[in-house]
Amino acid sequence: MVIGSGPIIIGQAAEFDYAGTQACQSLREEGISVVLVNSNPATIMTDPETADRVYIEPLNVEFVEQIIAIEKPDGLLPTLGGQTGLNLATELATHGVLDRHNVRLLGTPLKAIQRAEDRERFRKLMRKIGEPVPESWIIEKEGELKDLLREPNLPWPLIVRPAYTLGGTGGGVANTPEELIEIGSGGLKLSPRHQVMVERFLGGWKEVEYEVMRDAADTCITICNMENFDPMGIHTGDSIVVAPSQTLSDKEYQMLRTASLKIIRALGIEGGCNVQLSLNPHSFEYQVIEVNPRVSRSSALASKATGYPIARVAAKIAIGLRLDEIANAVTKKTLACFEPALDYCVVKIPRWPFDKFGLADRRVTSQMKATGEVMALGRTFEEALLKAMRSLEIGIHGLRPKNADQRTEMEIEQGLETATDERLFLICEAFYRGMSVDEAAQLTNVDRWFLTKLSRLVALDAKLRGLRSAMKPAATPEALAAIRTAKTIGFGDRHLSELLQIPEPEIRALVKSLGIKASYKMVDTCAAEFEAQTPYFYSVFDDDETEVAA
Amino acid sequence: MARAHLVLANGTVFEGESFGAGGTSIGEVVFNTGMTGYQEILTDPSYAGQLVTLTYPLIGNYGVTEADFESRRVQAAGLIIKELCDVPSNWRSEGTLASFLERANIIGIHGIDTRKLTREIRSAGVMMGAISTDGDIEALKNRIASVRYETIDFVSQVSTGKPFVWNADGDVKYRIALLDCGVKFNILRSLAKLGAETTVWPARTSADAILATTPDGVFLSPGPGDPDLLGDIKANVRRLAESKPTMGICLGNQLIGCAFGGRTYKLPFGHRGSNHPVKDLTTGRVVITSQNHGYALAPEFTSPDIEVWQVNLNDGTVEGLRHKSLPVFSIQYHPEASPGPTDSKGYFGQFLRMIDQNK
């Protein structure tokens, strides 16, 4: 039995349909008959072809027990249906339903899931294996705030998070004892449970994730690492993410990879898991933020980014197969037991629904607000980023925000300091108006590597804008050269059309006459080391070879 | 920066831009699929005589940091990449990759469709090539045709000229003799961390001279080139391995194999990357390893005392040997990582424990 993820909510959308569908196919490949339960009929997984038996019923203990009684499944796979599937499986186990009907829980043992999900147990385990977690304290009385201040070596600055308030209202960053008392007591008043958590604030630190797999024989591999463009403080689901990491040296990459493997081993996970870490941009210091002991939103992204079918492999691990017994479905010659090598760059940008919710608070914080995301691949960061930006379908075809000319300097600076859905575009606008990379880095804490790339894109954008007069009656050699550069970097025709004020079909014809055309490269999990069989391609404009599926 | 060409022995020509030094460099064109670690790769002596293609397209992002070098100089003959980063960003960065290569007088070429190049090497095998700013393609083709990687004794080029001691002042519990065919610093650092003082010997030091210093154990380093050119070293290795607890890495694994009656053969495009799965046939466990080798051992040995205990999951090639009765083992990959995963660093400890057990 496979449990789906139910209705679509923020943070739990089509990713889990993708994972669940893959898992059903993967299990049936092994000759296993699959019973699927999901309350959401608008999914691929509930298509009659996906599973042997499909139940569209409420996802609660009462209904699922009845289905179990009818179908008598041998096992239950709970880690592919997001938090909903996992919670329901946990309930079924604690209510004795699984024992009553002799159903085995497949994949990661329940104990391991609880170790990862219970904050205190997780922190205890991390301390035991020597992995750093940010210090934190639960405060329930004002007096306890004063006690806290007596602790030696408090790791300033501290962040105050009131418990059970929506969107983190009443919280904030305290740099001094006075601020801690002020924000802390305010938070206590606002919290319905009169509780705040005080935690070390990792502001400006890099946020890095690793997707990890482990089988029952304790073989562990990492599928992909990802680096957030946005530093700590913004939910990964609301962050622009690149894969693989771009600003980490091999020592940093391996340090965090080793920590991730140590954590998945200590937890005893069998299947996939996502480890979130935070890295100090000025030292080797890092902190473990959290672990998702299941297929997650990030693993769907990692799957698409690398071509490695995480859910498919996780399902096979759950029925006892080992990583070296599972074929790599992409190369068909090698095994699932390897780490994908990327020879391209992946950029994910969240898609927020503020166009539909005009009055909503557009700030992006630690609580996820995005309802979708776009992902693009390119041979360079610029190419992937530009593809992703124009795929957002928010009515912007270039780099600058809507109503760019009407934005005040103050508005832009504020938009850089406090992130909203528009920050990426506002950073570009700031560069457009002459802000330096250093200033932008100071305001945003975004790594200079990303900012330098953006500032250069803006410079090219401005250059093209300045070439409008060089396009008539016929494009000058200088204009043609700039168009060639822009196309190979990844500018879209519509973007060029707006910059040069030439109709899009004319731009297209001009580009064609310059001999610039897209070629297609394959996502093959192995950076071309082995021949691959998958029909998964991305377009590039500055290479000339088109690959065909072998 | 100037226009530059990459010319392959099979006649394929790629055009790009040079960085670092100018001029012409001829070498064997190979590819590495690791996504990080360009500094470690460039300074790894096993890349001597090779023009290294990095399949990851964005290179130089985190700059250059001397602490990450694996030897005292750039060892690769040239670097082939897609995009060069000229504004690196990392707290440890001391400069750009281009200025580093310029100081080292090594040529690099960027703007190359490295995926197309990799696909070509994958299907045709590694071959000689040249990176050049000269522009005379026909002359380059002739020059490439006159050089063969297999005939050059790179080990004598990269090995230390005279013995030196690493970690002499540390808290020393073990004294190791290392035969330097192209050692990486992180091998010495890894041994030092576990309390070993290592004497690094020129590759062609006689076994007698090394044994006269009564080391606790012998370490056989990785190194470049065709192992068939190292017949004299193989004879030394047999003597050393039969006298002292011995561990070998990469070329060291091949030397042990050959010393006990094995032979090596050239792989079509080698193993170079940070993602190679290796299975321990005793425990069944698989580890992801860092690899860099163009030759492999055939799994047959005239001596009945040698057994294969680890294999590569991708192509089944030999990844580890051990002696059935003597304290001798070797692995084809790099437990010292740098670059790559550190999952198998435990072998250094295993080596030292083996010394303890045989004292």
Side-chain angles (χ1 to χ4, degrees):
Chain A
M1 175 177 273
V2 173
I3 305 180
S5 66
I8 285 180
I9 54 173
I10 288 178
Q12 188 166 292
E15 296 93 335
F16 294 98
D17 189 19
Y18 170 72
T21 307
Q22 248 188 35
C24 291
Q25 286 167 349
S26 170
L27 293 172
R28 291 175 86 193
E29 255 172 33
E30 301 298 326
I32 289 169
S33 135
V34 177
V35 180
L36 177 80
V37 194
N38 196 359
S39 61
N40 183 356
T43 54
I44 307 289
M45 62 160 72
T46 49
D47 283 358
E49 300 83 43
T50 309
D52 295 274
R53 310 274 282 169
V54 177
Y55 285 84
I56 300 174
E57 296 291 352
L59 291 179
N60 60 35
V61 173
E62 191 193 341
F63 276 90
V64 177
E65 178 163 20
Q66 288 178 48
I67 300 167
I68 287 176
I70 298 166
E71 294 290 343
K72 300 186 176 46
D74 298 309
L76 173 69
L77 184 51
T79 46
L80 295 155
Q83 200 59 43
T84 306
L86 199 53
N87 289 350
L88 180 54
T90 310
E91 275 182 68
L92 289 168
T94 49
H95 283 77
V97 175
L98 300 184
D99 284 343
R100 260 201 303 284
H101 297 275
N102 278 320
V103 183
R104 264 179 60 198
L105 205 57
L106 301 174
T108 302
L110 207 52
K111 261 198 186 140
I113 291 169
Q114 286 159 351
R115 263 198 297 268
E117 297 216 310
D118 181 302
R119 218 182 149 77
E120 263 324 293
R121 288 176 70 182
F122 179 70
R123 297 169 71 87
K124 224 159 124 190
L125 179 68
M126 290 304 102
R127 278 194 282 269
K128 196 174 132 202
I129 63 169
E131 288 299 330
V133 279
E135 299 103 294
S136 74
W137 300 266
I138 304 276
I139 303 285
E140 293 182 325
K141 291 187 196 80
E142 258 179 69
E144 288 171 10
L145 282 171
K146 290 185 184 111
D147 295 344
L148 176 61
L149 285 171
R150 278 192 280 275
E151 287 231 0
N153 308 322
L154 270 182
W156 298 99
L158 297 164
I159 184 162
V160 179
R161 298 182 210 276
Y164 306 101
T165 64
L166 210 59
T169 17
V173 177
N175 289 296
T176 61
E178 294 73 36
E179 283 178 10
L180 180 68
I181 298 288
E182 191 194 319
I183 301 172
S185 40
L188 283 171
K189 283 189 197 101
L190 281 169
S191 165
R193 306 263 177 106
H194 215 65
Q195 189 188 80
V196 297
M197 189 164 81
V198 178
E199 195 177 72
R200 177 177 180 192
F201 181 57
L202 305 173
W205 284 34
K206 296 182 186 187
E207 195 167 349
V208 184
E209 290 178 83
Y210 282 72
E211 284 296 318
V212 202
M213 302 278 282
R214 178 176 173 273
D215 67 16
D218 202 26
T219 294
C220 291
I221 56 170
T222 56
I223 306 305
C224 182
N225 92 330
M226 293 173 272
E227 176 177 2
N228 288 7
F229 169 94
D230 303 286
M232 282 295 289
I234 297 176
H235 195 284
T236 334
D238 273 355
S239 295
I240 298 170
V241 176
V242 295
S245 58
Q246 299 301 332
T247 67
L248 268 52
S249 69
D250 186 65
K251 285 207 166 49
E252 292 163 324
Y253 181 104
Q254 303 303 341
M255 175 177 77
L256 299 183
R257 178 186 172 280
T258 302
S260 304
L261 294 188
K262 202 166 146 194
I263 292 166
I264 194 176
R265 284 206 162 101
L267 287 168
I269 282 162
E270 288 168 31
C273 147
N274 160 269
V275 182
Q276 288 174 26
L277 306 121
S278 182
L279 178 66
N280 186 328
H282 308 293
S283 75
F284 279 120
E285 192 192 357
Y286 69 90
Q287 300 280 337
V288 181
I289 305 304
E290 66 167 13
V291 165
N292 281 311
R294 54 176 169 83
V295 169
S296 65
R297 194 181 35 72
S298 296
S299 38
L301 176 66
S303 255
K304 296 239 161 123
T306 59
Y308 189 101
I310 294 175
R312 179 179 182 274
V313 174
K316 293 205 196 294
I317 289 175
I319 54 165
L321 285 173
R322 294 160 39 143
L323 281 162
D324 60 316
E325 293 170 338
I326 304 167
N328 176 339
V330 174
T331 64
K332 303 233 162 89
K333 286 185 185 118
T334 53
L335 298 168
C337 190
F338 78 110
E339 301 198 345
L342 276 57
D343 59 359
Y344 49 85
C345 178
V346 183
V347 174
K348 175 214 97 174
I349 307 181
R351 176 68 164 86
W352 290 276
F354 300 126
D355 45 351
K356 295 203 173 82
F357 299 97
L359 297 174
D361 180 359
R362 300 179 82 133
R363 279 178 300 180
V364 292
T365 58
S366 51
Q367 192 186 15
M368 182 171 165
K369 292 178 178 172
T371 49
E373 60 193 29
V374 296
M375 183 195 87
L377 276 55
R379 285 277 282 170
T380 62
F381 170 74
E382 291 85 343
E383 191 169 52
L385 178 79
L386 290 167
K387 277 189 205 177
M389 284 170 84
R390 61 176 174 265
S391 305
L392 284 168
E393 293 186 354
I394 50 174
I396 298 178
H397 308 282
L399 304 170
R400 300 174 69 188
K402 277 186 182 157
N403 312 321
D405 296 331
Q406 290 150 37
R407 310 276 180 147
T408 62
E409 300 290 320
M410 178 104 103
E411 204 184 333
I412 291 168
E413 264 189 37
Q414 224 161 46
L416 261 55
E417 221 171 351
T418 311
T420 67
D421 59 314
E422 291 190 299
R423 177 151 81 165
L424 177 62
F425 298 94
L426 290 175
I427 294 173
C428 291
E429 183 62 22
F431 287 139
Y432 203 81
R433 297 183 187 195
M435 188 182 276
S436 70
V437 166
D438 282 343
E439 277 175 88
Q442 215 148 45
L443 288 167
T444 59
N445 277 321
V446 171
D447 194 281
R448 281 177 172 74
W449 188 85
F450 296 112
L451 294 174
T452 304
K453 297 269 181 194
L454 287 180
S455 77
R456 289 182 176 184
L457 284 176
V458 170
L460 183 57
D461 183 288
K463 182 181 175 185
L464 284 155
R465 195 176 292 261
L467 285 168
R468 278 176 190 170
S469 57
M471 294 300 294
K472 282 169 189 160
T476 64
E478 192 200 3
L480 290 177
I483 291 171
R484 179 182 292 279
T485 308
K487 279 304 286 184
T488 51
I489 281 176
F491 278 51
D493 290 350
R494 174 90 183 248
H495 185 187
L496 288 175
S497 155
E498 285 178 5
L499 290 174
L500 296 166
Q501 305 225 303
I502 302 281
E504 206 181 331
E506 278 178 45
I507 293 283
R508 196 172 295 265
L510 195 59
V511 165
K512 211 173 159 189
S513 73
L514 288 170
I516 303 167
K517 60 179 199 314
S519 60
Y520 293 86
K521 293 215 180 284
M522 189 190 274
V523 173
D524 62 6
T525 71
C526 60
E529 184 167 8
F530 306 103
E531 216 173 281
Q533 314 275 340
T534 179
Y536 182 14
F537 299 88
Y538 61 96
S539 65
V540 296
F541 273 88
D542 66 337
D543 292 324
D544 52 5
E545 189 196 40
T546 286
E547 297 173 38
V548 276
Chain B
M1 289 210 196
R3 198 166 73 117
H5 292 95
L6 166 68
V7 181
L8 301 184
N10 69 358
T12 313
V13 179
F14 291 82
E15 199 181 307
E17 271 183 71
S18 73
F19 63 99
T24 299
S25 182
I26 294 177
E28 187 180 55
V29 182
V30 299
F31 65 84
N32 183 304
T33 61
M35 297 181 284
T36 51
Y38 52 86
Q39 310 175 73
E40 291 89 340
I41 289 168
L42 283 168
T43 53
D44 176 351
S46 291
Y47 285 103
Q50 290 175 330
L51 304 175
V52 185
T53 311
L54 300 177
T55 62
Y56 188 67
L58 312 179
I59 301 298
N61 296 1
Y62 49 85
V64 173
T65 308
E66 205 179 318
D68 290 350
F69 295 175
E70 282 303 317
S71 69
R72 286 187 180 82
R73 58 187 166 96
V74 175
Q75 305 278 1
L79 183 65
I80 304 162
I81 59 174
K82 162 75 181 158
E83 184 183 275
L84 174 70
C85 176
D86 57 348
V87 186
S89 173
N90 188 283
W91 61 283
R92 293 163 75 228
S93 172
E94 293 152 4
T96 65
L97 177 58
S99 61
F100 167 59
L101 282 190
E102 196 181 334
R103 278 197 307 281
N105 199 29
I106 297 290
I107 190 167
I109 185 168
H110 70 106
I112 298 296
D113 184 346
T114 46
R115 182 168 170 91
K116 182 179 178 182
L117 173 62
T118 302
R119 277 158 44 88
E120 187 136 348
I121 297 170
R122 173 185 86 200
S123 47
V126 293
M127 60 186 106
M128 295 301 286
I131 304 173
S132 176
T133 49
D134 293 351
D136 186 346
I137 308 289
E138 287 315 307
L140 284 172
K141 284 181 184 166
N142 289 332
R143 282 182 66 188
I144 294 166
S146 68
V147 191
R148 283 188 53 227
Y149 179 82
E150 289 75 19
T151 60
I152 303 169
D153 177 10
F154 291 106
V155 164
S156 54
Q157 294 178 18
V158 301
S159 180
T160 179
K162 48 179 196 254
F164 65 92
V165 181
W166 186 282
N167 191 34
D169 312 321
D171 178 16
V172 171
K173 283 180 282 197
Y174 306 91
R175 288 174 52 252
I176 307 299
L178 181 142
L179 201 62
D180 177 21
C181 292
V183 74
K184 283 165 68 187
F185 284 160
N186 216 36
I187 293 171
L188 302 171
R189 290 185 203 115
S190 302
L191 288 168
K193 229 179 256 172
L194 299 172
E197 168 201 284
T198 304
T199 306
V200 180
W201 294 93
R204 286 185 161 82
T205 311
S206 75
D208 286 338
I210 291 172
L211 292 172
T213 63
T214 63
D216 297 325
V218 169
F219 202 101
L220 306 170
S221 84
D226 187 341
D228 278 352
L229 301 175
L230 309 176
D232 50 338
I233 299 180
K234 289 170 190 171
N236 275 335
V237 165
R238 174 104 188 210
R239 175 91 209 285
L240 290 169
E242 285 178 339
S243 313
K244 293 285 171 188
T246 299
M247 172 175 168
I249 290 178
C250 203
L251 178 64
N253 177 55
Q254 293 165 358
L255 288 174
I256 286 178
C258 293
F260 288 92
R263 62 173 185 87
T264 53
Y265 62 97
K266 187 155 188 158
L267 292 163
F269 50 85
H271 294 176
R272 293 177 188 88
S274 299
N275 65 345
H276 286 262
V278 169
K279 185 165 186 166
D280 180 329
L281 297 173
T282 325
T283 63
R285 201 144 126 184
V286 181
V287 285
I288 301 297
T289 66
S290 173
Q291 301 213 355
N292 169 23
H293 57 105
Y295 295 83
L297 271 172
E300 303 100 32
F301 306 91
T302 54
S303 162
D305 300 325
I306 285 290
E307 63 179 355
V308 174
W309 66 304
Q310 297 190 27
V311 293
N312 189 298
L313 272 188
N314 287 340
D315 62 5
T317 52
V318 174
E319 292 285 359
L321 299 178
R322 62 183 168 204
H323 195 282
K324 286 178 187 163
S325 52
L326 296 173
V328 174
F329 76 93
S330 56
I331 47 181
Q332 186 60 53
Y333 50 91
H334 294 267
E336 80 281 9
S338 290
T342 55
D343 303 8
S344 48
K345 68 176 178 193
Y347 287 117
F348 291 106
Q350 188 171 324
F351 170 52
L352 298 178
R353 280 196 299 280
M354 192 168 79
I355 290 174
D356 287 334
Q357 284 154 11
N358 286 279
K359 255 180 182 167

